[in-house]
Amino acid sequence: MKTTFYGQSTFMIETGGKKLLFDPFITPNPMAKDIDINSLKPDYILVSHGHGDHVADLIAIQKSSDAIIICIAEIANWLGKHGINNAHGMNIGGGFNFDFGRVKMVNAIHSSTLPDGSPGGNPAGFVIYADGKTIYYAGDTALTYDMKLLADENLDWAYLPIGDNYTMGVDDAIKATGFINCKNVIGMHYDTFPVIVIDKEEAEQKFIKAGINIKLPGIGESLEL
């Protein structure tokens, strides 16, 4: 299983011969200027919530790839109004088996409004069960006791926001690792905007001191999970 970072909270996971793209925000991000969205060709696009820094390239990438979009039901309905019917709507607590594995939608504490002002339903995270691994993609969230429900999932990796201001920051993300019982973390949702710029070296040292294997990949960098 391989993951590639494309900036902000945008990751690709390649598993079972399928490509899963999360929260596509690439073309408006100057830090990701060298990424060609037309080359990505995901089979699935998973959307945690409706904010522009998570859906900016959603429609364009879906049209270029015919990917199935996995999202909260309200976003699936919104996509239908924009001529995209290849969306699989879910809701918090529900799971579904796809050809690459299983996806469960879990709670996130945030807000969710689509770029045109339409309501985006509840924000969410995802637990992915594929290729013998269990991966938690938290989306944009605060630290929440609901994360304790994941403690017995035997998570292999967790994608956690660490930029503060709009989401939990480094210190709360470290607490979250205890809630979810996972010591392998990929940080996201930091540095893209002035209010979420972090000191990466300081952040890494805090995670390491807490006994956590932290990865902060560069844009375009791939890791084996």
Side-chain angles (χ1 to χ4, degrees):
M1 185 182 288
K2 183 174 78 171
T3 189
T4 304
F5 181 48
Y6 294 113
Q8 187 68 340
S9 300
T10 308
F11 288 87
M12 186 85 81
I13 290 179
E14 297 178 49
T15 180
K18 302 295 181 179
K19 294 181 178 181
L20 285 58
L21 183 67
F22 292 75
D23 286 349
F25 172 74
I26 299 171
T27 55
N29 181 3
M31 298 175 71
K33 64 183 185 303
D34 294 328
I35 304 299
D36 175 13
I37 64 170
N38 294 312
S39 70
L40 299 180
K41 304 298 182 187
D43 299 287
Y44 294 86
I45 305 172
L46 289 83
V47 178
S48 66
H49 65 290
H51 288 162
D53 62 326
H54 294 257
V55 303
D57 294 310
L58 175 60
I59 291 177
I61 293 176
Q62 195 283 329
K63 288 184 174 179
S64 72
S65 63
D66 199 32
I68 297 171
I69 299 171
I70 302 172
C71 57
I72 198 82
E74 286 82 355
I75 294 180
N77 293 337
W78 178 81
L79 288 165
K81 294 175 182 178
H82 287 77
I84 296 177
N85 298 309
N86 202 13
H88 182 97
M90 300 182 69
N91 219 313
I92 307 297
F96 193 82
N97 295 327
F98 297 90
D99 59 1
F100 62 85
R102 183 169 178 81
V103 175
K104 184 176 182 180
M105 183 173 277
V106 296
N107 195 36
I109 303 297
H110 196 58
S111 56
S112 181
T113 304
L114 290 152
D116 63 2
S118 299
N122 292 323
F126 299 101
V127 180
I128 311 298
Y129 309 85
D131 199 23
K133 296 185 183 297
T134 305
I135 310 296
Y136 172 44
Y137 177 88
D140 279 13
T141 189
L143 178 68
T144 168
Y145 258 62
D146 282 0
M147 291 175 177
K148 288 179 176 283
L149 297 172
L150 303 179
D152 61 356
E153 292 282 359
N154 296 315
L155 297 173
D156 293 286
W157 285 88
Y159 295 73
L160 301 179
I162 60 172
D164 216 351
N165 195 74
Y166 298 116
T167 68
M168 60 185 177
V170 170
D171 293 338
D172 277 355
I174 290 171
K175 290 180 183 178
T177 67
F179 285 10
I180 64 177
N181 190 30
C182 181
K183 296 295 186 180
N184 295 315
V185 172
I186 298 173
M188 63 182 182
H189 206 277
Y190 65 92
D191 280 2
T192 316
F193 311 113
V195 294
I196 61 171
V197 171
I198 67 169
D199 183 326
K200 290 179 67 174
E201 183 176 350
E202 179 184 22
E204 287 173 333
Q205 288 305 311
K206 283 186 174 183
F207 277 104
I208 292 168
K209 186 177 180 181
I212 298 161
N213 175 29
I214 180 67
K215 301 294 184 184
L216 302 178
I219 293 176
E221 182 179 350
S222 296
L223 302 170
E224 292 294 329
L225 299 179

